[in-house]
């Protein structure tokens, strides 16, 4: 049945799913209610006053008779709908005037090819024009995507926006060429992309489909688990499982045949024991192995005599009131006197890595190279900033050092190497394979490279485990610091962290007098006893939720306590939790913590996809992406007016502060520790960026906060292990609070199981 009607009232509309309940008025007859999915909601369109044709059927619901539609189309001028309903601030009157002045065909041409002509219209200035241009390109792209994908898979408006945010104006072209590229988009899995591909005519046993599945599994295992290869039987099983359904089955022999062809084509490689991995990962790891072996061997570089080193150490200790441990002296002596060009300094929490690194750089700047020839770098801006303060030497992010140019290209590489004689890479355990490879390729043959890191922390996000592999295989000469330097008798954070690293529950963990550590046992109900008492699963679920709620309330009390005691509470108070969803996941915690650490107080705010964002909020960037940026100093000097000066890659896990929300331009601006300001659109909220008062531990790697609070719930059982826990508590500078259940604490300390990364470098 087909009905035509004008929307009189939007009863309910969810932009994330596209579902809407509308009260509509037909040309004849009384008003009625329609419900269904409308892709225009992806553009945050206002629907009131628009006329649609709906195809569907009548249903009787508890709310009365409603028309449920499966298809619809906009009636009247689509251009007028866009200008009046999608572009904020134009309204019906100006939209009508524009169409009357130019005509629809000419106005479309202007919007596509000559939008600056609209500046001649009274009431349209630069900022309004920028919004019109962005809205126009986005609306056209989303409309085309919705039309193309609508019948091929259930792609919600929320996912349409994510696809557009990921690929930009080229989205439709990219997906037409290869629908499996949809798996690159956060929130879209292989199954959804496969539905689109099959709907386009790809056969179930097509070599193209099998290749896409193999590539997806290898890429996904690299990104989610860090593996550079999988064993062939495992890869075959995973591929068969992914491609087969009740209706169709793709045999292992068919998959193996396609895999052999991929090996002949050089897309994947096979190792001697049946390892199968992407050729690019094997190539990078082989090149890094050669790089380490070559630089670790004896070279002609200038060395410093042992006598000069001993004199320097004695003088440095006297001058700074320190006494180096045996291993600290050893790394200074090794770097100074041995003729290699790469060294590793490994150390757990509290072992004095930074102290000895500063001394080592002072020695090298006195005897080996000018201070200007020394550069320090780290993966995150926060880690680089901390390194600069603690060593006194220039420190930048790796991407700033290599001068990232966008589109995965760098200014510095083999053809244009870095000019520095000494490069120190801090937090080396965080750096994944591809970035390590980029840095290695950008060093001159004579550059001295010093790698500093904590191998007990979580491995990097992405493929590889280069720092740990280089240490464990002996590819580079290294020293491991083991002696822990306590800050005082009542300070135990470093000691407890190292007990946890060893898989032990620290002695005295439940004592309350420590300056930098506190465990609070919060467990309203003993679930084990409740089970023995015969409670039903429904009753047990309610008790678990009550336990989690009690943990939540205590975390919020701590946030209230510190909100008035910290100079920058939103920045210095951090909750770290194992999961995104659930009662104690980042999503719920962020919403509750925001109201305490950055209450509204009439500040500018926006709401998208259920997330409210305010000026002053702490946020985290969620995907590696090139963004428009400008220097913070220029932004502040210009009265917080943004003007793009360059594109820069912003990385998954970067933490910043919202400095301005511009309602008219539908943009907000975030400053990051590298002192850059990044421009985001409102639709990026929840997809590219979200609140960061509560983070997963991987997102917090490389960062430190004055106060860290960690919920410990039995609900997180599967996620709790000592590597995660060690990394979490070592993010605290002043104090770590552990809030929760005793069994969860024990599990987090003693569960030493972890997924061992499969890497070619480890076999060196």
């Amino acid at each position: 049945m087909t009905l035509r009607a004008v929307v009189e009232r939007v009863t309910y509309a969810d932009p994330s799913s596209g579902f809407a309940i509308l009260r509509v008025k037909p040309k004849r007859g009384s008003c009625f209610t329609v419900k269904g999915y409308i892709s225009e909601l992806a553009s945050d369109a206002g629907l009131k006053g628009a006329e649609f044709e709906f195809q569907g059927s009548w249903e009787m619901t508890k709310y009365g008779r409603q028309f449920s539609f499966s298809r619809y189309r906009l009636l009247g001028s689509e251009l007028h709908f866009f200008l009046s309903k999608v572009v904020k601030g134009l309204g019906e009157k100006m939209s009508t005037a524009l169409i009357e002045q130019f005509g629809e065909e000419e106005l479309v041409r202007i919007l596509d090819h000559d939008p600056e002509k609209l500046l001649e219209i009274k009431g349209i200035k630069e900022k309004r024009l920028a919004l019109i241009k962005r809205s126009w390109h986005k609306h056209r792209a989303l409309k085309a995507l919705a039309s193309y994908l609508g019948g091929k898979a259930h792609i919600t408006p929320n996912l349409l926006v994510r696809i557009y945010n990921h690929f930009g104006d080229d989205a439709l072209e990219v997906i037409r060429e290869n629908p499996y590229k949809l798996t690159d988009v956060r929130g879209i899995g292989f199954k959804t992309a496969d539905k689109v591909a099959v709907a386009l005519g790809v056969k179930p046993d097509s070599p193209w489909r099998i290749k896409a599945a193999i590539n997806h599994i290898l890429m996904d295992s690299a990104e989610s688990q860090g593996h550079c290869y999988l064993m062939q039987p495992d890869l075959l099983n995973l591929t068969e499982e992914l491609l087969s359904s009740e209706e169709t089955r793709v045999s292992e022999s068919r998959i193996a045949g396609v895999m052999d062809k991929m090996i002949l084509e050089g897309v994947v490689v096979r190792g001697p024991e049946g390892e199968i991995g992407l050729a690019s990962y094997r190539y990078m790891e082989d090149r890094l192995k050669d790089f380490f072996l070559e630089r670790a061997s004896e070279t002609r570089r200038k060395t410093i005599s042992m006598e000069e080193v001993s004199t320097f150490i004695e003088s440095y200790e006297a001058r700074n009131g320190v006494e180096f441990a045996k291993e600290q002296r050893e790394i200074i002596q090794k770097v100074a006197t041995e003729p290699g060009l790469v060294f590793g300094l490994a150390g757990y929490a509290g072992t004095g890595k930074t102290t000895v690194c500063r001394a080592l750089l002072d020695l090298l700047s006195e005897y080996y190279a000018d201070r200007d020839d020394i550069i320090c770098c780290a993966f995150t801006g926060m880690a680089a900033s901390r390194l600069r303060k603690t060593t006194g030497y220039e420190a930048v992010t790796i991407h700033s050092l290599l001068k990232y140019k966008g589109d995965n290209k760098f200014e510095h590489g083999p053809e244009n190497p870095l000019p520095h004689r000494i490069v120190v890479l801090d937090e080396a355990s965080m750096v994944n394979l591809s970035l390590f490879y980029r840095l290695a390729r950008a060093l001159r043959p004579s550059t001295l490279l010093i790698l500093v890191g904590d191998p007990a922390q979580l491995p990097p996000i992405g493929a590889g485990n280069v720092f740990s592999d280089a240490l464990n295989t002996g590819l580079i000469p290294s020293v491991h610091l083991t002696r822990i330097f306590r800050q005082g008798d009542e300070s135990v954070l470093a000691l407890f962290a190292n007990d946890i690293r060893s898989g032990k529950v620290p002695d005295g963990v439940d004592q309350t007098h420590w300056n930098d550590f506190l465990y609070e046992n919060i467990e309203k109900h003993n679930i084990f006893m409740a089970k023995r008492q015969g409670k039903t699963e429904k009753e047990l679920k309610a008790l678990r939720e009550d336990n989690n709620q009690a943990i939540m309330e205590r975390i919020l009390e701590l946030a209230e306590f510190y909100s008035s005691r910290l100079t920058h509470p939103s920045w210095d108070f951090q909750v770290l939790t194992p999961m995104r969803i659930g009662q104690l996941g980042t999503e719920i915690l962020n919403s509750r913590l925001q109201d305490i650490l950055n209450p509204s107080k009439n500040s500018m705010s926006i709401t998208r996809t259920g997330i409210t964002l305010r000026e002053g909020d702490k946020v985290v960037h969620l995907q590696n992406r090139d963004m428009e940026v400008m220097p913070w100093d220029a932004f502040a000097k210009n009265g917080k007016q943004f003007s793009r000066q360059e594109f820069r890659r912003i990385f998954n896990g970067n933490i910043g502060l919202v400095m301005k929300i511009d309602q008219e331009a539908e943009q907000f601006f975030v400053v990051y520790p590298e002192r850059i300001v990044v421009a985001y659109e409102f639709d990026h909220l929840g997809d590219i960026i979200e609140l960061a008062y509560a983070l997963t531990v991987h997102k917090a790697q490389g960062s430190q906060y004055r106060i860290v609070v960690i919920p410990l719930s039995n609900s997180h059982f599967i996620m709790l292990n000592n590597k995660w826990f060690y990394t979490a508590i070592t993010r605290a500078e002043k104090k770590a609070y552990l809030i929760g259940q005793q069994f969860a604490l024990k599990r987090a300390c003693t569960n030493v199981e972890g997924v061992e990364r499969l890497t070619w470098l480890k076999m060196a």
Side-chain angles (χ1 to χ4, degrees):
M1 183 178 290
T2 301
L3 300 173
R4 292 186 173 195
V6 175
V7 178
E8 286 212 332
R9 185 179 74 237
V10 178
T11 306
Y12 175 81
D14 180 5
S16 63
S17 68
F19 182 72
I21 301 173
L22 309 171
R23 192 69 176 166
V24 299
K25 172 73 173 169
K27 281 187 178 179
R28 294 176 185 159
S30 58
C31 293
F32 59 91
T33 297
V34 300
K35 62 179 182 179
Y37 291 88
I38 295 182
S39 64
E40 276 76 9
L41 288 174
S43 297
D44 197 33
L47 301 178
K48 187 177 177 182
E51 186 178 8
F52 289 95
E53 181 181 270
F54 301 102
Q55 291 183 22
S57 58
W58 289 100
E59 291 181 358
M60 185 58 72
T61 73
K62 63 181 180 180
Y63 302 107
R65 204 161 67 105
Q66 295 182 345
F67 189 78
S68 178
F69 64 88
S70 55
R71 290 187 177 183
Y72 71 95
R73 69 183 179 93
L74 178 69
L75 300 176
S77 167
E78 183 179 333
L79 183 60
H80 186 272
F81 176 84
F82 161 74
L83 293 173
S84 61
K85 306 294 185 185
V86 176
V87 179
K88 302 297 179 293
L90 278 184
E92 296 276 346
K93 189 174 179 182
M94 183 173 282
S95 301
T96 302
L98 284 171
I99 292 173
E100 286 179 352
Q101 179 168 341
F102 295 107
E104 288 208 8
E105 188 176 333
E106 174 63 10
L107 187 51
V108 168
R109 189 200 68 77
I110 289 170
L111 287 165
D112 279 339
H113 305 293
D114 189 20
E116 277 66 28
K117 190 173 179 62
L118 296 180
L119 290 171
E120 299 170 7
I121 306 300
K122 185 179 179 182
I124 298 181
K125 293 187 168 55
E126 291 283 356
K127 188 179 285 189
R128 176 67 53 79
L129 178 64
L131 179 58
I132 291 171
K133 287 197 292 187
R134 286 204 313 272
S135 299
W136 174 250
H137 286 301
K138 179 181 172 184
H139 175 71
R140 296 266 274 194
L142 287 173
K143 192 76 178 171
L145 277 172
S147 175
Y148 183 70
L149 296 173
K152 300 174 179 65
H154 183 55
I155 303 287
T156 67
N158 186 31
L159 286 183
L160 280 177
V161 170
R162 286 187 174 184
I163 294 166
Y164 178 78
N165 283 344
H166 191 90
F167 296 114
D169 292 338
D170 298 329
L172 182 56
E173 185 181 330
V174 169
I175 293 159
R176 269 187 178 145
E177 187 178 323
N178 181 4
Y180 291 103
K181 291 292 286 181
L182 283 168
T183 58
D184 294 349
V185 180
R186 185 170 166 266
I188 297 183
F190 182 86
K191 292 289 186 185
T192 299
D194 197 39
K195 279 182 186 176
V196 174
V198 170
L200 289 170
V202 177
K203 293 181 179 178
D205 64 347
S206 158
W208 194 52
R209 183 173 183 247
I210 295 170
K211 282 181 182 180
I214 291 170
N215 266 311
H216 171 72
I217 290 168
L218 290 174
M219 288 292 293
D220 185 62
S221 69
E223 291 304 310
S224 62
Q225 297 176 292
H227 298 318
C228 291
Y229 65 82
L230 294 174
M231 299 308 296
Q232 181 163 324
D234 296 330
L235 180 57
L236 288 171
N237 287 337
L238 288 168
T239 308
E240 183 184 7
E241 185 180 317
L242 186 62
L243 293 176
S244 300
S245 64
E246 291 181 6
E247 297 80 29
T248 59
R249 181 179 174 276
V250 182
S251 68
E252 274 198 14
S253 60
R254 176 70 169 159
I255 296 167
V258 173
M259 192 182 295
D260 287 341
K261 190 174 180 184
M262 291 174 76
I263 291 168
L264 288 173
E265 292 169 349
V267 178
V268 298
V269 293
R270 180 185 281 124
E273 303 298 325
E275 307 92 344
I276 303 288
L278 293 171
S280 57
Y281 292 144
R282 178 66 188 265
Y283 178 83
M284 286 188 286
E285 291 206 277
D286 284 349
R287 297 290 78 74
L288 279 172
K289 177 186 173 183
D290 293 341
F291 170 85
F292 288 137
L293 288 173
E294 183 180 321
R295 296 203 172 224
S297 62
E298 191 168 318
T299 66
R300 295 181 180 178
R301 83 165 176 92
K302 174 187 173 185
T303 57
I304 305 168
S305 71
M306 187 63 79
E307 184 180 348
E308 288 171 318
V309 174
S310 298
T311 301
F312 172 84
I313 290 175
E314 287 176 17
S315 171
Y316 189 93
E317 287 178 326
R319 211 167 50 244
N320 293 279
V322 297
E323 183 180 347
F324 290 123
K326 177 186 173 186
E327 292 92 347
Q328 289 177 311
R329 286 173 172 264
E330 185 183 349
I331 188 63
I332 295 172
Q333 292 165 350
K334 185 178 283 288
V335 174
T337 63
E338 295 182 9
L341 284 166
V342 63
F343 296 91
L345 172 59
Y348 304 130
T351 55
K353 294 190 297 295
T354 303
T355 300
V356 72
C357 190
R358 183 170 59 236
L360 178 56
L361 291 178
D362 284 352
L363 171 66
L364 292 171
S365 68
E366 186 173 332
Y367 289 96
Y368 186 82
D370 292 338
R371 195 179 184 92
D372 291 342
D373 288 331
I374 300 172
I375 190 70
C376 302
C377 61
F379 181 68
T380 66
M382 197 177 285
S385 177
R386 190 174 67 250
L387 188 61
R388 192 182 310 113
K389 290 174 185 173
T390 54
T391 65
Y393 287 81
E394 180 58 27
V396 295
T397 63
I398 302 170
H399 283 80
S400 294
L401 178 65
L402 298 179
K403 294 188 178 175
Y404 184 74
K405 297 194 298 184
D407 196 27
N408 209 27
K409 294 186 174 72
F410 297 83
E411 188 172 313
H412 289 293
E415 306 304 318
N416 180 28
L418 292 164
H420 313 284
R421 291 188 64 193
I422 300 170
V423 173
V424 176
L425 173 60
D426 195 27
E427 300 279 6
S429 61
M430 285 185 63
V431 183
N432 64 26
L433 172 61
S434 60
L435 192 52
F436 229 116
Y437 173 72
R438 291 280 189 182
L439 178 61
R441 279 167 51 87
L443 299 181
R444 292 188 302 183
S446 59
T447 299
L448 172 61
L449 176 63
I450 302 170
L451 307 175
V452 183
D454 183 347
Q457 287 188 25
L458 286 170
I461 297 172
N465 200 12
V466 177
F467 181 61
S468 290
D469 287 348
L471 293 177
N472 295 335
T473 56
L475 277 172
I476 60 174
S478 61
V479 173
H480 207 128
L481 306 181
T482 55
R483 177 184 162 190
I484 298 168
F485 294 87
R486 291 182 64 160
Q487 300 300 308
D489 290 340
E490 303 303 314
S491 298
V492 293
L493 186 57
L495 288 172
F496 282 5
N498 280 282
D499 283 340
I500 291 164
R501 176 188 58 78
S502 303
K504 298 185 294 187
V505 178
D507 289 334
V509 71
D510 53 356
Q511 294 178 22
T512 59
H513 62 278
W514 308 122
N515 290 334
D516 55 359
F517 186 95
L518 182 65
Y519 165 60
E520 293 187 32
N521 180 14
I522 292 184
E523 191 161 16
K524 291 180 68 175
H525 310 286
N526 186 316
I527 304 299
F528 178 73
M529 291 298 295
K531 282 182 178 178
R532 295 188 63 179
Q533 292 166 5
K535 299 284 187 185
T536 65
E537 191 52 46
K538 184 177 179 181
E539 290 170 324
L540 291 172
K541 183 173 182 286
L543 296 179
R544 291 189 188 99
E545 289 175 353
D546 204 21
N547 278 341
N548 288 338
Q549 189 60 33
I551 295 169
M552 161 82 81
E553 295 304 326
R554 180 56 185 141
I555 291 171
L556 298 179
E557 285 175 9
L558 285 169
E560 287 276 11
F561 176 81
Y562 279 106
S563 66
S564 59
R565 287 166 174 80
L566 292 170
T567 307
H568 305 289
S570 63
W571 189 256
D572 291 333
F573 183 91
Q574 185 64 55
V575 176
L576 298 177
T577 184
M579 302 179 79
R580 285 178 51 83
I581 58 174
Q583 275 180 288
L584 295 170
T586 58
E587 290 182 359
I588 290 177
L589 280 166
N590 269 318
S591 176
R592 300 293 302 275
L593 289 164
Q594 179 191 39
D595 288 335
I596 296 169
L597 298 171
N598 188 31
S600 57
K601 294 181 181 174
N602 301 316
S603 66
M604 190 70 74
S605 67
I606 58 166
T607 300
R608 289 289 189 281
T609 62
I611 302 173
T612 296
L613 187 76
R614 301 169 185 153
E615 290 181 345
D617 272 333
K618 179 166 61 177
V619 290
V620 57
H621 188 87
L622 299 174
Q623 52 183 264
N624 300 337
R625 182 184 173 94
D626 292 349
M627 303 293 294
E628 294 181 342
V629 306
M630 71 180 293
W632 161 253
D633 292 340
F635 180 75
K637 186 177 180 181
N638 201 29
K640 293 187 178 179
Q641 295 299 310
F642 185 88
S643 58
R644 188 191 88 205
Q645 296 196 5
E646 61 175 313
F647 275 92
R648 190 180 293 192
R649 177 61 57 102
I650 308 298
F651 285 88
N652 183 0
N654 274 26
I655 311 293
L657 290 173
V658 178
M659 300 310 297
K660 181 183 177 182
I661 294 174
D662 188 331
Q663 295 279 9
E664 185 182 356
E666 294 198 352
Q667 289 183 305
F668 60 94
F669 307 99
V670 177
V671 62
Y672 287 101
E674 302 97 308
R675 296 183 66 80
I676 57 168
V677 177
V678 179
Y680 295 89
E681 295 177 25
F682 283 4
D683 281 338
H684 290 162
L685 184 58
D687 178 22
I688 295 174
I689 202 162
E690 66 184 12
L691 295 173
Y693 300 104
L695 293 169
T696 57
V697 175
H698 252 132
K699 290 282 193 291
Q701 273 188 279
S703 302
Q704 285 199 298
Y705 306 91
R706 290 178 66 77
I707 306 297
V708 167
V709 181
I710 304 165
L712 292 172
S713 168
N714 295 344
S715 301
H716 297 155
F717 178 85
I718 197 169
M719 301 292 292
L720 300 176
N721 63 67
N722 70 325
K723 212 170 187 73
W724 170 86
F725 199 28
Y726 172 86
T727 306
I729 67 171
T730 54
R731 300 309 90 208
E733 287 180 337
K734 185 179 179 183
K735 192 162 188 172
Y737 287 88
L738 317 181
I739 310 296
Q741 299 170 277
Q742 238 174 354
F743 180 78
L745 172 67
K746 182 179 178 183
R747 166 84 176 177
C749 292
T750 60
N751 178 25
V752 296
E753 296 175 8
V755 177
E756 187 176 349
R757 296 197 167 193
L758 303 175
T759 66
W760 307 103
L761 196 59
K762 191 163 57 180
M763 297 188 287

